[in-house]
């Protein structure tokens, strides 16, 4: 039992340190106290790793599980700060997804094996514990935490921004069990995070006692209520997430900003060079609003253009078949506004004959992504156009030819002038920027679900509420379709687009499943041509899903019932197919028919294309009169 | 009590008032305009290149490819044209692979001719090739000459401005090459020497797999806009850069891989690189080099063969240059966060750990454990081999051509500058990570190394302090005064911080006035033209000398004061402190914590106030 002595010593040190901290609290600045607390919590996590390593040497399985819970709680105390200060460190070494990934810094294809807490969680979920493998992961973590130097001092701004980001992390990941591939302790861990935040918030009590007394009290009250709502015997499947978020966490998110501003604490925008943009909008007052993310982060319109005129030009081009070589097709063929900017077909029609290889995805809220196309090959909204122009199944047009055409229309010349002023050139860059700007404008985060969560409406059907709770809980939908956009852009920083291997089948004959043979992301980018990306596809948004049938990259599932059934069976691997790198668990979800219908009832509340479906009345005129009777939107 | 805490605590923070009274009369500091001017020359995807007949198309034109990387420069030699201001031909690599009916599949290269108009202003003059193409931008024809090319990354500017392009991204199969026909459509076997003049003495008629025809150095003729030959006798690897010595015989070759090779080729006859002897570096071998026979199969499998023979394993060699004053060669070793498996596999083949990594590992060990490495160098080398040394920052290496000894010239970092036990960190003002581009500038009587970062990651302190909060990667460009003995990262002077997500590459000085650089693969969300690959000129380097000298002279006081450095657009404060910047009306516009430098590049010209934690103010006028 010798190895326990070190641990006990460490615990004593912490106790002494705490006493010391409390004595001085009356005369120390909040941030000094926060610094001390964070150092304490950080070292405590290292100590718990150490203890866990000792316990793994023992033979008592139950004490391993006990210590594992303690270890996770120690991590949850620091996660909200650590992941704010250095999210890449957390992702690469501490709590990244337990999947192999490509080393982006390597000059040739190189796969990094997963490491960290999520790998440990998977291992701890096994019936026969692989002690050596667990220990190896623990030692790795311990080493890296020992080596890792804090890169930034804490500032008041960081404490408050980190708490607000933590609210989003709790909503989009914490309550879904995102980082617990095998465990079921997600909700108690949410409590640990909130308790830790409450501790740090208390350091500001004296500062707030003058100008911000009530705002401080309101913030503490919301924090306490959100804690109390998670009962000690909380059940992962029945916890009412919708009410918890709506009544406590979303208001807390807003209230923390009020308090921070009252305290005179600077904004992140004042602390960072202005050309650095953030996806997360640090001035947002609700998680369920278009404010939360800055569309300008994903697609930045230059300041020297007329934005309204640019979007108008883009809209005109979007519906104009002048873009295709035979003047037949426009963007609006495959992306029809009435169908949520899809075409209702399993695979879009090719311009010559047959179909293109994949299903047309919605453009609504498309801007909130890092990468585009089902295989993630394009990097920006405007990068996509080149592929459509060049494809002989789509517009099949040389951009130089298109430039020549547009130059020959006085109407278009004027539209470009209105948008770009004296810099109007009608070149590839300006054409694609305009169309992409129109797509950028197609955002709608005012569905009846959003309004309910923002307390702008007083109720939503019980089925939809149950559906949301299932979506975010038992059915695990929310672990990939992240709230609040419900797409694969990873919270809480929202700077990376995810793709998943689901093992999608080529039809809905579940008894004789056939794996769809599209290689997906593996054949997207040269530098991503790895086996781990075979059949991997971008996670689309489920917003407006009732408008966008049929579903999946191949359009093989005609109804949402098909989609839910597929997931309920554990995807391709769950159906018995060989899908070596499936990232979806192959376990059945055990959802009942009623539960699946409730999830659909929830998703039906996510529709908002209001004000976005208008088509231009007419198209610009050309000198070539033959072109002037082309229909708005072309033929499809 | 609160006040006392403020003054005693080393890192006291107070919120700066949102608004202040600006009627105070305080000392004024002027931030002059930078002497450097920027001019965009060549924008990928926007400018049009003249093309030869390819894939069934006649000669014509199309939009240039993107992903600009290496820049080569071939000086004009005709005295009449020189007198008219014509400088020479600029070649730009496109580090990508994509099919293109007019340019050809894979990557490519574009050439254009530069002329100096007046002062700092440059212009591109149209050029005509023997095959009848005429225009501002000419596509270098690889399709009809050497069988296409891919991922044109680095390259070499040889004696008399001869240009080689290098194909970095290592290809190991035709299917990876093709990527379903998106990158290369032609995957038929390649027969060397069927298209004149692209053959190679000794290897003509040999049939190789298509992917084996990639990852070579390729010589091009900038003036005629076409490739000359693939340099099969220099071996096949993930070549990134190289240098050719003034003897016009000796070539040093840099392999961007972990483990990466350091190669050397010595031509039999000066200027004729089709015959000679190839070597690979092995520290400790006789003369520190091992010889490689001129056998096509060996050359195709160069890395495997060399490792089997004990070659020294580097962590990603990138670009190099010769210091004309000393004849020594400097090459960037960019580093690798996860060298574990890569080194283990290389070592299994018999590759050896370079002595400088052993030293770097021992230093890291000391920083982490506060005690010197207690074991032998052999044990340290074992640890490096097993992946224990995460080479987060990389370094600049110096090669002594007379001895073949390679040593660390400038180590990246720092790794350790804070103490977790107190939780206090003083973030470094200068942090040097993952160097990539490297070149020399000779300004006045000074020699500067210009070195550019291409960050492998954002964590482990690699981002500049003021960008820490961001989610975008910022790469910096630095100057180093070569007269400094045993330089460290603290001697670097920051010149540029590139557009978010962009890599600054290709930095090459045309003369003491102008440097050409590329912004390679910027964030698509940047504004035009900074959302495209572009080649631009940074001129006015002859004017920076005074700025740098002033900067060096003026820093020595205790009073709250700020000294402007117009080159980096930064104010240097007399000490590390918290400061707020207020506009003329007294509204708070910036709050910077624990800084020694205030970056003014995002302040619109005008008057500002700088206030520190003690409430002392300075007036700043940004020109």
């Amino acid at each position: 039992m010798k190895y326990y002595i070190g641990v006990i010593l460490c615990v004593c040190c912490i106790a002494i340190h705490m006493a010391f901290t409390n004595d001085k609290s009356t005369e120390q600045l909040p941030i000094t106290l926060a610094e001390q607390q964070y150092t304490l919590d950080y070292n405590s996590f290292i100590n718990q790793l150490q203890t866990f390593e000792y316990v793994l040497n023992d033979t008592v399985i139950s004490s391993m599980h006990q210590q594992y819970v303690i270890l996770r709680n120690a991590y949850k105390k620091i996660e909200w700060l650590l992941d704010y200060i250095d999210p890449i460190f957390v992702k690469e070494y501490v709590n990244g997804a337990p999947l192999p990934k490509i080393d982006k810094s390597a000059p040739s294809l190189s796969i990094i094996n997963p490491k960290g807490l999520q790998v440990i969680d998977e291992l701890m979920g096994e019936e026969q514990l692989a002690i050596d493998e667990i220990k190896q992961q623990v030692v790795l973590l311990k080493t890296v935490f020992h080596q890792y130097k804090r890169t930034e001092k804490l500032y008041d701004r960081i404490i408050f921004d980190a708490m607000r980001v933590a609210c989003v992390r709790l909503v989009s990941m914490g309550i879904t069990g995102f980082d617990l591939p095998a465990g079921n302790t997600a909700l108690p861990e949410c409590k640990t995070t909130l308790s830790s935040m409450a501790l740090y918030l208390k350091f500001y009590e004296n500062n707030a006692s003058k100008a911000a007394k009530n705002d401080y009290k309101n913030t503490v009250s919301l924090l306490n209520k959100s804690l109390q709502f998670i009962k000690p015997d909380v059940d992962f499947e029945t916890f009412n997430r919708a009410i918890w978020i709506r009544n406590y966490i979303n208001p807390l998110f807003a209230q923390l900003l009020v308090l921070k501003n009252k305290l005179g604490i600077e904004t992140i925008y004042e602390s960072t060079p202005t050309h650095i943009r953030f996806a997360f909008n640090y001035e947002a007052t609700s998680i369920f609003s278009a404010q939360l993310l800055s569309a300008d982060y994903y697609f930045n319109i230059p300041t020297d253009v007329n934005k309204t005129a640019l979007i108008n030009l883009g809209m005109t081009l979007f519906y104009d078949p002048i873009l295709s070589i035979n003047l037949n097709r426009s963007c609006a063929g495959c992306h029809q506004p009435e169908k949520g900017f899809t075409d209702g077909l399993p695979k879009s029609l090719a311009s010559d004959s047959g179909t293109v290889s994949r299903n047309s995805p919605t453009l609504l809220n498309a801007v909130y992504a890092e990468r585009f196309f089902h295989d993630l090959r394009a990097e920006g909204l405007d990068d996509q156009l080149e592929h459509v122009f060049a494809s002989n199944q789509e517009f099949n047009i040389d951009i130089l030819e298109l430039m020549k055409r547009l130059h020959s229309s006085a109407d278009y010349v004027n539209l470009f002038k209105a948008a770009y002023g004296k810099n109007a050139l009608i070149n590839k860059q300006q054409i694609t920027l305009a169309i992409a700007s129109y797509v950028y404008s197609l955002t709608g985060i005012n569905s009846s679900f959003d309004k309910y969560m923002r307390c702008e409406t007083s109720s939503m059907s019980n089925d939809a509420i149950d559906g949301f709770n299932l979506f975010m809980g038992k059915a695990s939908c929310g672990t990939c379709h992240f709230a609040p956009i419900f797409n694969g852009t990873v919270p809480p920083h929202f700077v990376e687009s995810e793709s998943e291997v689901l093992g999608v089948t080529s039809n809905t004959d579940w008894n004789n499943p056939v794996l769809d043979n599209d290689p997906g992301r593996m054949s997207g980018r040269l530098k991503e041509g790895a086996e781990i990306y075979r059949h991997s596809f971008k996670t689309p948004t489920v917003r407006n899903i009732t408008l966008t049938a049929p579903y999946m990259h191949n359009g093989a599932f005609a109804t949402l019932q098909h989609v839910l059934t597929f997931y309920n069976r554990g995807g391709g691997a769950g159906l018995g197919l060989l899908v070596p790198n499936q990232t979806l668990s192959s376990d059945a979800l055990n959802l009942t028919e009623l539960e699946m219908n409730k999830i659909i009832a929830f998703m039906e509340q996510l529709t908002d294309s209001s004000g976005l479906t208008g088509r231009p009345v007419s198209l610009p005129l050309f000198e070539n009169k033959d072109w002037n009777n082309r229909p708005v939107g072309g033929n499809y | 009590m609160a006040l006392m805490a403020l003054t005693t605590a080393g890192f006291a923070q107070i919120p700066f008032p949102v608004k202040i009274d600006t009627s105070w009369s305080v000392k004024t500091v002027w931030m002059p305009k930078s002497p450097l001017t920027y001019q965009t020359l060549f924008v990928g995807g926007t400018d049009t290149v003249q093309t030869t007949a390819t894939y069934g198309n006649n000669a014509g034109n199309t939009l240039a490819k993107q992903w600009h990387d290496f820049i080569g420069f071939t000086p004009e030699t005709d005295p009449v044209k020189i007198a008219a201001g014509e400088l020479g031909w600029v070649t730009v690599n496109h580090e990508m692979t994509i099919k293109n009916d007019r340019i050809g599949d894979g990557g490519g290269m574009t050439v254009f001719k530069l002329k100096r108009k007046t002062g700092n202003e440059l212009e591109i003059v149209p050029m005509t090739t023997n095959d009848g193409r005429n225009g501002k931008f000419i596509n270098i024809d690889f399709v009809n000459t050497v069988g296409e090319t891919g991922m044109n990354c680095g390259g070499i500017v040889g004696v008399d401005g001869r240009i080689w392009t290098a194909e970095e991204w290592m290809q190991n199969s035709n299917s990876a090459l093709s990527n379903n026909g998106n990158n290369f459509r032609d995957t038929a076997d390649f027969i060397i020497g069927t298209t004149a003049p692209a053959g190679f003495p000794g290897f003509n008629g040999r049939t190789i797999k298509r992917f084996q025809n990639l990852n070579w150095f390729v010589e091009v003729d900038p003036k005629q806009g076409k490739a000359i030959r693939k340099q099969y006798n220099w071996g096949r690897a993930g070549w990134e850069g190289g240098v050719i010595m003034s003897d016009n015989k000796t070539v040093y070759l840099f392999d961007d891989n972990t483990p990466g090779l350091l190669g050397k080729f010595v031509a039999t006859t000066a200027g004729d690189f089709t015959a000679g002897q190839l070597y690979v570096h092995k520290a400790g071998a006789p003369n520190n080099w091992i010889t490689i026979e001129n056998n096509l199969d060996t050359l195709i499998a160069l890395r495997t063969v060399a490792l089997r023979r004990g070659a020294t394993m580097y962590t990603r060699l990138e670009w190099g240059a010769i210091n004309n004053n000393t004849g020594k060669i400097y090459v960037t070793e960019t580093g690798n966060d996860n060298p574990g498996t890569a080194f283990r596999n290389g070592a299994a083949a018999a590759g050896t750990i370079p002595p400088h990594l052993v030293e770097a590992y021992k230093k890291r060990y000391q920083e982490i454990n506060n005690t010197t490495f207690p074991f032998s160098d052999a044990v340290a080398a074992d640890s490096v081999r097993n992946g224990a040394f995460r080479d987060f920052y990389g370094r600049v290496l110096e090669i002594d051509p007379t001895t073949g000894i390679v040593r660390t010239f400038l180590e990246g970092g720092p790794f350790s500058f804070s103490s977790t036990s107190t939780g206090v960190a003083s973030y470094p003002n200068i942090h040097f990570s993952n160097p990539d581009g490297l070149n020399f500038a000779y300004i006045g009587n000074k020699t500067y190394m210009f070195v550019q970062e291409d960050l492998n990651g954002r964590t482990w302190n690699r981002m500049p302090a003021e960008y820490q909060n961001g989610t975008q990667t910022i790469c910096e460009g630095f100057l180093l005064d070569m007269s400094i003995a045993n330089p460290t990262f603290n001697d670097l002077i920051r010149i540029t911080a590139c557009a978010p997500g962009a890599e600054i590459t290709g930095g090459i000085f045309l003369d003491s006035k102008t440097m050409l650089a590329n912004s390679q693969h910027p964030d698509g969300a940047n504004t035009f033209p900074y959302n495209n690959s572009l080649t631009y000129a940074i001129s006015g380097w002859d004017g920076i000398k005074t700025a740098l000298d002033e900067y060096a002279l003026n820093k020595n006081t205790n009073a709250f004061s700020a000294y402007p450095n117009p080159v980096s657009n930064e104010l240097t404060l007399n000490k590390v402190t918290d400061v707020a910047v207020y506009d003329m009306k007294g509204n708070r516009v910036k709050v910077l914590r624990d800084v020694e430098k205030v970056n003014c590049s995002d302040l619109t010209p005008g008057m500002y106030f700088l206030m520190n934690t003690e409430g002392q103010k300075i007036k700043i006028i940004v020109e």
Side-chain angles (χ1 to χ4, degrees), chain A residues 107-127:
Chain A
S108 54
L109 207 53
S110 169
I111 304 293
I112 307 175
N113 284 322
K115 48 184 169 289
L117 289 169
Q118 294 195 42
V119 176
I120 296 174
D121 192 70
E122 275 191 337
L123 293 168
M124 290 299 292
E126 303 286 329
E127 272 182 34

Side-chain angles (χ1 to χ4, degrees), chain A residues 539-579:
Chain A
T539 308
T541 181
V542 300
R543 284 182 177 268
N544 301 298
I545 199 164
T546 54
L547 302 174
T548 63
Y551 305 103
M552 315 316 269
H553 69 273
N554 57 356
F557 303 166
T559 67
L560 288 173
Q561 277 77 11
H562 289 145
V563 176
L564 266 294
T565 305
F566 173 75
Y567 283 116
N568 200 25
R569 302 274 299 258
L575 289 163
L577 294 169
L578 184 65
V579 191

Side-chain angles (χ1 to χ4, degrees), chain A residues 321 327-330 333 631 633-636:
Chain A
L327 280 91
N328 228 1
R329 284 296 184 78
S330 78
N635 300 308
Y636 188 71

Side-chain angles (χ1 to χ4, degrees), chain A residues 13-25 40:
Chain A
C13 290
I14 292 165
I16 291 163
H17 196 152
M18 277 186 118
F20 173 79
T21 308
N22 289 340
D23 274 356
K24 297 252 175 158
S25 62
L40 197 67

Side-chain angles (χ1 to χ4, degrees), chain A residues 27 35 86 93 105 107 151 153-155 157 264 266 270 273-274 276-278 300 400 428-429 523, chain B residues 1 5 11 13 61 169 180 256 316 423 427 459-461 466-467 469 525 528 588 590-591 593-594 602:
Chain A
E27 56 181 74
E35 279 276 2
D86 199 341
Y93 298 97
S105 72
T151 58
K153 238 170 79 173
L154 293 180
Y155 303 117
R157 179 193 68 70
E266 67 268 20
E270 288 177 273
T274 47
I276 295 297
R277 298 183 310 280
F278 299 90
N300 193 25
L400 294 173
K428 174 191 168 197
Q429 205 274 333
S523 70
Chain B
M1 281 310 256
F11 44 94
Q13 284 177 59
N61 58 57
W169 185 259
N180 289 338
D256 183 1
R316 305 190 58 187
Y427 201 81
T459 190
W460 300 93
N461 317 320
E466 68 265 39
Y467 299 100
N469 296 314
F528 182 78
R588 197 177 73 190
K590 268 179 189 280
V591 176
R593 303 281 181 186
D594 296 301
D602 60 351

